[in-house]
Amino acid sequence: MQKFSVKGNIIFTKDMDKFEIHDDSYLNIENGKIISISKENLFKEVVSYEGNLIIPGFTDTHLHAPQINNIGLGYDEELLSWLEKYTFPEEAKYKNKDFAKKSYSNFVNRLLENGTTSSVIFGTIHKDTTLLLAEMMEEKGLKAYIGKVNMNRNSPDFYIEETEESVEDTEEFIKALASFENIKPIITPRFVPSCTEVLMNKLGDLAEKYDLKIQSHLSESRSEIDWVKDLHPECKNYLDVYVKYSLARNNLNTVMAHCVWLTDEEKEVMKDKEILVSHCPYSNANLTSGIAPVRELISKGINVSLGSDVSGGSEMFMGRIISLAQMLSKMHYVHIDETQKPLTISELFYMATKGGGKFFGNVGSFEEGYSADFLVINDKSIQDINSRTSKERLERFLFTGDKSNISKVYVNGRRIR
Amino acid sequence: MQKFSVKGNIIFTKDMDKFEIHDDSYLNIENGKIISISKENLFKEVVSYEGNLIIPGFTDTHLHAPQINNIGLGYDEELLSWLEKYTFPEEAKYKNKDFAKKSYSNFVNRLLENGTTSSVIFGTIHKDTTLLLAEMMEEKGLKAYIGKVNMNRNSPDFYIEETEESVEDTEEFIKALASFENIKPIITPRFVPSCTEVLMNKLGDLAEKYDLKIQSHLSESRSEIDWVKDLHPECKNYLDVYVKYSLARNNLNTVMAHCVWLTDEEKEVMKDKEILVSHCPYSNANLTSGIAPVRELISKGINVSLGSDVSGGSEMFMGRIISLAQMLSKMHYVHIDETQKPLTISELFYMATKGGGKFFGNVGSFEEGYSADFLVINDKSIQDINSRTSKERLERFLFTGDKSNISKVYVNGRRIR
């Protein structure tokens, strides 16, 4: 049985409101799980990263792997025109296995080098190449929920499915992942406008049959919300469409990206059903969607995590996503609602680790029994002449550092980079 | 006389509304100035960067060199408490020459590696070490306006000047820079609350006597504006204080950072006096100041440039500053004023090059007679499997690239990195 102690300046967020900091301490790991943190090493085998920061691996709860090639492109557009011009034509290319292999290889490497050890991922409508992505992720040792995307309406001719085919391919994809260790399938209707009621219900049936989690988009931009309203006059609101057509499973079994413009009624349902919000600041800003009221969501007891939303989002490094989320929360405070205080750095770090990690179980913290998923941060290149606390060093890494400061990546106690 | 042609994919903004793109072309340079762009090389000596992008060097019109050590720190604070906790104690350290030398060396290197060839810089109140900064910048071959900061009221005991000393030191600093080639002195009252009427008037006199430009802060946060109102009931508004006490010189001779909350009357004066705005999105967001109405400012004919505002701003790379400025303009459009369209990428690139370059004369463009200040962008590390236009490559470099993509830096036709 694997047992070892890792030395360094250990920092994490058990709770949202403050960092737990253990300088010059040991993270004791047995069989891939955290046992304890101590001032002396619990185990004989010691791996020393003395002087470096040790933090939980990041969790990214919303990103589109097939959009990796488009990252950084098209931000003179808004959501719906951006989908048509940039996204759909690119995703359609993943029918081609060779194209998919090259692109997904780049994607997997970039996740890893950015220290994103757990992620919740959209593939494309193509079963075979989404499976290829799952294989590449599994081989690398990363944790993920990966979904074959479903779309059978309001989509371009070159990138749409028949209902039966969509359901059958999804079931085959689910079965193909049965033997995977770190990768799990997730039901992935693109969003309401691209799935008929029949398809949504059938996907909901699959989720029940195989006890699967569900991911989709909710209340991203105002034009999209109007569209959903036109499509579903029988539903009270956007979220109600997912509820009515069996795609809103309870108890942290559903993650919805964006949630920028939720009504009070939708917020109540989000809370009651324990649906996880994936807040995607880069995407919401790039695509002119709006600033999600995150302070209000967390005050109401809704679970919030962070997503890069590649390639609506132009950033994969969670540190910068934390930074932008804080900036947008400050702009929300100044310009929209002064009763909603800006998000603090510890709150956002929590969302990027334990908050998103909840979707995976005991992930994203260094409490006993949590997965030993952690990053070693070497911040030499951004240190300055003054001496700084571990908290300041973490803050600086998040706000001005980058992937080059992530020197080692461990998942389940195993070094994968 | 130095004459040569540089080959590459040349891209710049002569006007705000579009990129000028010359693929596989030559930038012809004589004696440090742009002569022309051509499909064949004008001069026998050719430096080929074929396949790379060639863009103007960036201009950063507002940053605090002595805050380089603090970059990325303290963003759980707002402007006035941040000044007290982080900024003033750090700036006070620059009394020590050894501390200044180490810190400024880091600053100068970071400017250079980020491709910022022209900048408008605040030093500290210390004449000697601000002069040291000027020497280091001159030696490196970078262009800058550098100011010894003036503060004689409302400042901590450990970081404040007597009026006479402040004026004398400033005049000595001005004289010491007389022989510099690329570095020029600039009058630098910190901001209204930290300078008495007497000091402001005397600084205005120096500006007239030596025909110098002026830099300061204007209308950054609401609590600061209230403070200025309390201090100067005799003035119509914040800008009027600078006007009344002779610190608002006409004709692109004054640059004011921030301008988030200007009144309509102030906007009129900004336009009439041709005062340059330095828009600092990272700082305005980090310090909870607000989103400057940039679209409105440029529609009114006010000149706008971009500033990093290190260390209120946490980013020195102009690409990311362009990206955040666009994101904030989109949030302004969605949440504040739908009549003010988001800023486009070409508009922001213009502000980061020619818009700020105006303050330096013919800088920031590749038109005939402009300074041959340019960057060679090698974007291999961020290229993807699809073929992309030069415009798309530039866009991706700005939004997701970083300093590692800036492979060469030229100023006045001379390679300095």
Side-chain angles (χ1 to χ4, degrees):
Chain A
M1 205 158 65
Q2 178 219 39
K3 291 181 187 186
F4 67 112
S5 298
V6 177
K7 186 172 191 185
N9 297 324
I10 298 162
I11 183 163
F12 64 104
T13 40
K14 184 180 163 196
D15 302 303
M16 294 193 94
D17 61 339
K18 66 170 193 300
F19 287 104
E20 308 280 327
I21 303 169
H22 302 262
D23 283 338
D24 283 320
S25 298
Y26 295 86
L27 195 58
N28 302 303
I29 295 164
E30 188 170 345
N31 217 15
K33 302 249 183 277
I34 308 292
I35 298 298
S36 63
I37 295 171
S38 54
K39 272 291 176 194
E40 302 297 328
N41 49 312
L42 185 66
F43 300 120
K44 219 177 355 184
E45 190 188 333
V46 169
V47 183
S48 179
Y49 298 119
E50 202 172 332
N52 292 306
L53 304 176
I54 312 279
I55 64 171
F58 291 121
T59 298
D60 185 338
T61 57
H62 184 67
L63 76 171
H64 296 263
Q67 294 174 26
I68 188 68
N69 293 320
N70 280 349
I71 192 166
L73 293 178
Y75 305 127
D76 276 342
E77 306 293 328
E78 278 192 45
L79 175 64
L80 299 178
S81 61
W82 171 85
L83 282 171
E84 269 176 49
K85 273 199 201 174
Y86 285 88
T87 308
F88 292 149
E90 180 69 12
E91 291 195 10
K93 295 178 189 167
Y94 285 75
K95 195 174 162 58
N96 180 312
K97 199 156 179 174
D98 194 49
F99 182 90
K101 197 169 177 179
K102 283 182 186 148
S103 304
Y104 280 147
S105 163
N106 180 24
F107 171 79
V108 174
N109 286 331
R110 288 180 74 170
L111 261 192
L112 183 57
E113 69 190 12
N114 279 292
T116 302
T117 48
S118 298
S119 46
V120 188
I121 300 174
F122 276 60
T124 60
I125 63 172
H126 314 99
K127 175 194 59 176
D128 293 343
T129 55
T130 305
L131 184 57
L132 178 68
L133 168 64
E135 287 162 357
M136 294 167 91
M137 292 282 292
E138 174 86 350
E139 196 189 324
K140 206 59 107 171
L142 290 162
K143 289 182 181 168
Y145 286 96
I146 299 180
K148 181 212 110 48
V149 172
N150 305 96
M151 334 169 29
N152 72 340
R153 66 169 170 176
N154 297 317
S155 303
D157 291 345
F158 58 83
Y159 192 52
I160 191 166
E161 309 167 294
E162 295 296 331
T163 309
E164 281 313 309
E165 174 200 12
S166 180
V167 175
E168 281 168 25
D169 283 0
T170 302
E171 190 156 12
E172 281 180 41
F173 178 76
I174 294 165
K175 288 178 179 167
L177 288 196
S179 61
F180 282 54
E181 188 188 351
N182 289 317
I183 308 299
K184 291 179 184 152
I186 183 168
I187 295 297
T188 307
R190 185 172 205 108
F191 67 154
V192 164
S194 55
C195 299
T196 60
E197 294 88 332
V198 172
L199 177 58
M200 286 193 274
N201 272 325
K202 283 178 185 281
L203 293 174
D205 292 345
L206 284 179
E208 288 300 326
K209 179 174 174 187
Y210 292 95
D211 190 18
L212 297 179
K213 291 181 188 279
I214 295 168
Q215 64 178 340
S216 197
H217 298 88
L218 176 62
S219 200
E220 180 172 359
S221 79
R222 287 176 298 184
S223 52
E224 170 218 19
I225 295 166
D226 291 343
W227 192 14
V228 171
K229 198 174 280 175
D230 286 349
L231 289 168
H232 293 280
E234 80 282 12
C235 295
K236 282 182 286 187
N237 50 49
Y238 195 158
L239 176 56
D240 194 43
V241 184
Y242 290 123
V243 173
K244 201 173 207 96
Y245 301 108
S246 58
L247 285 170
R249 297 193 83 202
N250 293 347
N251 305 328
L252 283 171
N253 275 311
T254 304
V255 58
M256 287 290 165
H258 309 306
C259 302
V260 176
W261 301 98
L262 295 181
T263 62
D264 287 343
E265 211 175 344
E266 284 173 300
K267 286 170 198 159
E268 280 305 309
V269 177
M270 292 293 288
K271 197 208 157 195
D272 293 344
K273 295 181 85 64
E274 285 189 76
I275 295 174
L276 179 66
V277 171
S278 180
H279 172 47
C280 303
Y282 266 92
S283 169
N284 296 159
N286 278 327
L287 298 178
T288 323
S289 303
I291 304 178
V294 177
R295 166 66 63 209
E296 188 199 347
L297 299 177
I298 61 176
S299 321
K300 285 192 190 299
I302 297 169
N303 289 297
V304 181
S305 58
L306 296 178
S308 63
D309 194 21
V310 167
S311 71
S314 44
E315 178 62 63
M316 289 184 84
F317 172 48
M318 269 297 149
R320 291 303 182 100
I321 293 168
I322 287 171
S323 157
L324 183 64
Q326 189 182 44
M327 291 193 272
L328 293 186
S329 80
K330 289 171 173 178
M331 297 302 92
H332 191 276
Y333 168 77
V334 173
H335 290 289
I336 302 171
D337 184 354
E338 280 205 340
T339 67
Q340 306 293 333
K341 292 258 177 268
L343 300 168
T344 66
I345 301 170
S346 74
E347 288 172 330
L348 287 158
F349 189 80
Y350 177 95
M351 291 179 207
T353 53
K354 191 174 173 181
K358 280 183 191 175
F359 202 67
F360 290 77
N362 283 342
V363 165
S365 181
F366 290 152
E367 294 155 70
E368 191 187 340
Y370 272 68
S371 237
D373 304 345
F374 62 91
L375 312 178
V376 179
I377 308 303
N378 181 334
D379 59 347
K380 266 205 188 109
S381 68
I382 50 173
Q383 279 173 13
D384 69 281
I385 188 171
N386 298 300
S387 89
R388 303 292 187 183
T389 64
S390 291
K391 179 169 173 291
E392 286 174 318
R393 287 170 60 192
L394 176 64
E395 191 179 337
R396 181 166 51 193
F397 160 66
L398 299 171
F399 279 69
T400 71
D402 59 39
K403 59 180 190 277
S404 71
N405 300 115
I406 300 173
S407 75
K408 314 276 185 302
V409 179
Y410 284 75
V411 172
N412 297 330
R414 190 167 73 86
R415 185 170 161 201
I416 62 170
R417 181 163 188 266
Chain B
M1 207 157 65
Q2 177 220 39
K3 292 181 186 184
F4 66 112
S5 298
V6 176
K7 187 173 191 185
N9 298 324
I10 298 162
I11 182 162
F12 64 105
T13 41
K14 183 180 166 197
D15 302 303
M16 295 193 94
D17 61 339
K18 66 170 195 298
F19 287 104
E20 309 281 326
I21 303 169
H22 302 262
D23 283 337
D24 283 320
S25 297
Y26 294 86
L27 196 58
N28 302 304
I29 295 164
E30 188 169 345
N31 217 14
K33 302 248 184 275
I34 308 292
I35 298 298
S36 63
I37 295 170
S38 54
K39 272 291 177 193
E40 302 296 329
N41 49 313
L42 186 65
F43 300 119
K44 220 177 352 186
E45 189 189 334
V46 168
V47 182
S48 178
Y49 298 118
E50 201 172 333
N52 292 306
L53 304 176
I54 312 279
I55 65 172
F58 292 121
T59 298
D60 185 338
T61 57
H62 183 66
L63 75 171
H64 296 264
Q67 294 174 27
I68 188 68
N69 293 320
N70 280 348
I71 192 166
L73 292 178
Y75 304 127
D76 277 341
E77 307 292 329
E78 279 191 43
L79 174 63
L80 299 178
S81 61
W82 170 85
L83 282 171
E84 270 176 49
K85 273 198 202 176
Y86 285 88
T87 308
F88 292 150
E90 180 69 13
E91 290 195 11
K93 295 178 188 167
Y94 285 77
K95 193 175 164 60
N96 179 312
K97 199 156 179 173
D98 193 51
F99 182 92
K101 197 169 179 178
K102 284 182 185 148
S103 304
Y104 281 147
S105 163
N106 179 25
F107 171 79
V108 174
N109 286 331
R110 289 179 75 169
L111 261 192
L112 183 57
E113 69 189 13
N114 280 293
T116 303
T117 48
S118 298
S119 45
V120 188
I121 299 174
F122 276 59
T124 60
I125 62 172
H126 314 99
K127 175 194 60 178
D128 292 343
T129 55
T130 305
L131 184 58
L132 178 68
L133 168 64
E135 286 163 357
M136 293 166 92
M137 292 282 293
E138 174 86 349
E139 196 190 323
K140 205 60 105 171
L142 290 162
K143 289 182 182 169
Y145 286 97
I146 298 180
K148 181 211 109 51
V149 171
N150 306 97
M151 339 171 25
N152 72 339
R153 66 168 170 176
N154 297 317
S155 304
D157 291 346
F158 59 83
Y159 193 51
I160 191 166
E161 308 168 295
E162 294 296 330
T163 309
E164 280 314 309
E165 173 201 14
S166 179
V167 175
E168 281 168 26
D169 282 0
T170 302
E171 190 156 12
E172 281 179 41
F173 178 76
I174 292 164
K175 288 178 178 165
L177 288 195
S179 61
F180 282 53
E181 189 188 349
N182 289 317
I183 308 298
K184 290 178 186 154
I186 182 167
I187 295 297
T188 308
R190 184 170 205 109
F191 68 153
V192 165
S194 56
C195 298
T196 60
E197 293 88 330
V198 173
L199 177 57
M200 286 193 274
N201 272 324
K202 283 178 186 281
L203 293 174
D205 292 346
L206 284 180
E208 288 300 325
K209 179 174 173 189
Y210 293 95
D211 190 18
L212 297 179
K213 292 182 189 280
I214 295 167
Q215 65 178 340
S216 199
H217 298 88
L218 176 63
S219 200
E220 180 172 359
S221 79
R222 287 177 297 183
S223 51
E224 170 218 19
I225 295 165
D226 291 343
W227 192 15
V228 171
K229 197 174 282 176
D230 286 349
L231 289 167
H232 293 281
E234 80 282 12
C235 294
K236 282 182 286 184
N237 50 49
Y238 196 158
L239 177 55
D240 194 42
V241 184
Y242 290 123
V243 173
K244 200 172 209 99
Y245 301 108
S246 58
L247 286 170
R249 298 193 81 202
N250 293 347
N251 306 327
L252 282 173
N253 275 311
T254 304
V255 59
M256 287 289 166
H258 309 304
C259 302
V260 176
W261 301 97
L262 294 180
T263 61
D264 286 345
E265 210 174 346
E266 285 173 300
K267 286 169 197 159
E268 280 304 309
V269 177
M270 292 293 289
K271 197 208 159 197
D272 293 345
K273 295 181 86 66
E274 284 189 76
I275 295 174
L276 179 66
V277 171
S278 180
H279 171 48
C280 304
Y282 267 93
S283 170
N284 296 160
N286 278 328
L287 299 178
T288 324
S289 304
I291 304 178
V294 178
R295 166 65 63 209
E296 188 199 347
L297 298 176
I298 62 177
S299 322
K300 285 191 190 300
I302 297 168
N303 288 297
V304 180
S305 57
L306 295 179
S308 63
D309 193 21
V310 167
S311 70
S314 44
E315 178 63 64
M316 289 184 83
F317 172 48
M318 269 296 149
R320 291 303 182 102
I321 293 168
I322 287 172
S323 158
L324 183 64
Q326 190 184 42
M327 291 194 271
L328 293 186
S329 80
K330 288 171 174 178
M331 296 304 91
H332 192 276
Y333 168 77
V334 172
H335 290 289
I336 302 171
D337 185 353
E338 281 205 341
T339 67
Q340 305 294 331
K341 291 258 177 268
L343 301 168
T344 66
I345 301 171
S346 74
E347 288 173 328
L348 286 159
F349 188 80
Y350 177 96
M351 292 179 207
T353 53
K354 191 174 174 182
K358 280 182 191 175
F359 201 68
F360 291 77
N362 283 342
V363 165
S365 180
F366 290 151
E367 296 156 68
E368 191 187 339
Y370 271 67
S371 236
D373 304 344
F374 62 91
L375 312 178
V376 179
I377 308 303
N378 180 334
D379 59 348
K380 265 204 189 112
S381 68
I382 48 173
Q383 277 174 14
D384 69 281
I385 188 171
N386 298 301
S387 89
R388 304 291 187 184
T389 64
S390 291
K391 180 170 174 291
E392 286 175 317
R393 288 171 59 191
L394 175 64
E395 191 180 338
R396 181 165 50 192
F397 160 66
L398 299 171
F399 279 70
T400 72
D402 59 40
K403 57 180 189 275
S404 71
N405 301 115
I406 300 172
S407 75
K408 314 274 185 304
V409 179
Y410 284 76
V411 172
N412 296 330
R414 189 168 73 86
R415 185 171 160 201
I416 62 169
R417 182 165 187 266

